[in-house]
């Protein structure tokens, strides 16, 4: 068995578990003003409540980010292997990006990216 594969399969998960356990045991658990203040979405933290309802707009932006993040992750292997995948691979990559672009245009058209609240 390859030593690199052995390290990735056995050593890395064990090291991650040890570091997470050390963090849980040794990290201070004191609440202070800046931890309890409003953050990111501007919603105030409620002591004792770990879950808050978010408006759907935050999830739409997150899904849009995820789609384009996947696009960028797939762009690197395509660009590196473009010489080897010939014209067929290039055409498939172009079709993939065209489909994502059509999806983005559709999202703009239906107003999914309009972040204005209905209440105001």
């Amino acid at each position: 068995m390859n030593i690199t594969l052995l390290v990735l399969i056995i050593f890395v998960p064990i090291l991650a578990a040890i570091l997470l356990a050390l963090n849980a045991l040794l990290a201070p658990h004191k609440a202070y003003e800046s931890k309890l203040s409003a953050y990111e979405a501007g919603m105030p933290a409620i002591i004792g409540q770990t879950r808050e309802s978010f408006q759907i707009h935050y999830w739409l932006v997150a899904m849009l980010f995820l789609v384009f993040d996947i696009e960028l992750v797939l762009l690197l292997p395509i660009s590196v292997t473009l010489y080897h995948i010939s014209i067929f691979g290039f055409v498939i990559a172009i079709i993939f990006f065209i489909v994502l672009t059509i999806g983005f245009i559709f999202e703009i058209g239906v107003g999914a990216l309009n972040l204005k609240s209905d209440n105001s």
Side-chain angles (χ1 to χ4, degrees):
M1 180 177 250
N2 190 354
I3 189 70
T4 306
L5 186 61
L6 184 68
V7 167
L8 286 174
I9 292 174
I10 296 173
F11 181 69
V12 171
I14 292 173
L15 180 65
I18 289 171
L19 291 175
L20 284 171
L22 282 174
N23 183 37
L25 291 174
L26 300 177
H29 300 288
K30 295 189 309 182
Y32 50 90
E33 184 180 351
S34 60
K35 271 189 179 180
L36 298 175
S37 64
Y39 62 98
E40 292 182 13
M43 298 181 193
I46 300 172
I47 298 174
Q49 182 179 352
T50 57
R51 294 182 181 217
E52 294 181 15
S53 60
F54 286 94
Q55 294 180 1
I56 192 67
H57 303 298
Y58 297 109
W59 299 109
L60 291 173
V61 171
M63 288 189 305
L64 180 67
F65 172 76
L66 185 64
V67 167
F68 284 101
D69 194 35
I70 290 171
E71 179 183 359
L72 288 177
V73 166
L74 293 176
L75 185 63
L76 178 67
I78 290 170
S79 63
V80 170
T81 62
L82 193 57
Y83 181 75
H84 300 290
I85 61 176
S86 72
I87 193 71
F88 177 73
F90 180 70
V91 169
I92 296 298
I94 293 298
I95 291 171
F96 173 73
F97 292 121
I98 287 173
V99 167
L100 284 178
T101 304
I102 290 170
F104 181 65
I105 292 169
F106 176 74
E107 285 180 351
I108 291 174
V110 297
L113 300 177
N114 188 4
L115 298 179
K116 293 181 182 175
S117 177
D118 294 335
N119 299 343
S120 55

